[in-house]
Amino acid sequence: MAARLLDGSAVARQIRAEMRPDIEAFTARAGRPPGIALVLVGSNAASELYVGSKLKSAGESGLRADLERLPATASLDDLLRLVDRLNRSELHDGILVQSPLPPAMGSHAERRVFDAIAPGKDVDGFNPINVGRLVQGRAGLVACTPSGVIEILERSNIAIAGARAVVIGRSDIVGKPMALLLLHRHATVTICHSRTTDLPRVAREADILVAALGRPAFVTPDFVKPGATVVDVGTSRVEDPALVARLFPAGSRRREAFERRGALVLGDVHPDVEQVAGALTPVPGGVGPLTIAMLLKNTVRAAEDRFA
Ligand code: NAP
């Protein structure tokens, strides 16, 4: 039987609708809407797209959203000066610096930037103060993608307490915070990575399997316990016709979309997993829209906390 598809777009719409009264109340009280500044360095095509969707969603939800651009030639000091100005801005409650930064800024640039963003405005939840609060299970601004995953699981009535959860991926922005959020909700959590031995066997223990590797269609049915909930965080732009032909039969909707556009966005989960899993988040339309909804939610929260 095909898995129940968990509709991230619908959950994201629900979250945005629930936020509306809080946004109106804040705007009436503060005399301005909650505000977010999005910082884009250079003009990476994918980043332009992500920032565009964030600006659009923020605007539609009644938030102030400003795009601050720096050229690809900007130095790390230029960027840190901009962050400092935004830290002191009265109009902005949240700051998001879009990754990736230009390689010329150096390998530690992102970490330096996350360290520099004021913890109260860190709507991405990447500043070490907020990460520390997350480790301790204290309220704070939490990374948007993993908190979006929790929202869709809870709102889809997937039991987390007592479940065996396996997270594939241990990045600071997805895998680690994801594991902590599941742990705080009383799942028994295993984190896997590129050195895990016999990954399919470990993954098959999961009642909840979160795939966050960035490797298209890597998680095949042999990774999945029948009936398990599978959350696909991966988003990879694929332009390889041979890979698409292997995954989607001729005449299928996705194959035709690829033939029209020359590219597809694929998750980390193989399409055949739908026949084994009990529930599954699709790509697109699963975790992606939730990430944006949680960013807006964090911005409203940051605004309320500043004016509390
Ligand atoms: P990342 O920093 O590249 O981390 C990838 C993780 O996957 C690493 O921990 C790596 O292990 C692990 N990994 C890679 N290959 C593996 C393999 N063959 N077997 C087991 N583990 C493997 O990526 P990320 O930033 O966490 O993002 C992961 C994916 O989520 C990407 O596709 C990204 O685009 C997507 N994403 C989506 C959203 C959204 O809104 N939907 C948001 C954020 C990220 P090691 O640590 O051992 O190298």
Side-chain angles (χ1 to χ4, degrees), residues 53-78:
S53 330
K54 289 168 187 169
L55 282 168
K56 184 164 170 277
S57 285
E60 285 169 359
S61 299
L63 269 63
R64 176 189 176 122
D66 294 310
L67 176 59
E68 298 274 354
R69 281 182 181 275
L70 286 178
T73 51
S75 67
L76 178 57
D77 281 342
D78 295 332

Side-chain angles (χ1 to χ4, degrees), residues 168 193-194 199-200 211 213-223 232 243 247 267-271 273:
I168 311 179
H193 44 77
S194 63
L199 183 54
L213 313 73
R215 296 191 175 251
F218 183 91
V219 173
T220 45
D222 58 319
F223 284 63
D232 191 353
L243 174 60
L247 296 176
D268 290 338
V269 175
H270 193 286
V273 166

Side-chain angles (χ1 to χ4, degrees), residues 29 38 45 110 112-114 206 208 213-214 229 235 238 244 251 266:
R29 193 154 45 92
L38 296 139
E110 278 180 10
R112 293 272 309 275
V113 170
F114 299 149
I208 299 172
L213 313 73
T229 297
T235 42
V238 172
V244 173
L266 295 187

Side-chain angles (χ1 to χ4, degrees), residues 50 145 168-175 192-196 199 211-215 218 232-236 268 287-288 291:
Y50 293 142
T145 300
I168 311 179
R170 57 174 163 182
S171 71
D172 289 344
I173 65 167
V174 187
C192 299
H193 44 77
S194 63
R195 308 283 185 92
T196 300
L199 183 54
L213 313 73
R215 296 191 175 251
F218 183 91
D232 191 353
V233 177
T235 42
S236 305
D268 290 338
V287 175
T291 298

Side-chain angles (χ1 to χ4, degrees), residues 139-175:
L141 295 169
V142 177
C144 303
T145 300
S147 50
V149 171
I150 295 292
E151 289 283 343
I152 197 166
L153 291 176
E154 290 184 338
R155 289 169 191 252
S156 308
N157 296 317
I158 308 284
I160 301 177
R164 291 292 308 264
V166 173
V167 180
I168 311 179
R170 57 174 163 182
S171 71
D172 289 344
I173 65 167
V174 187

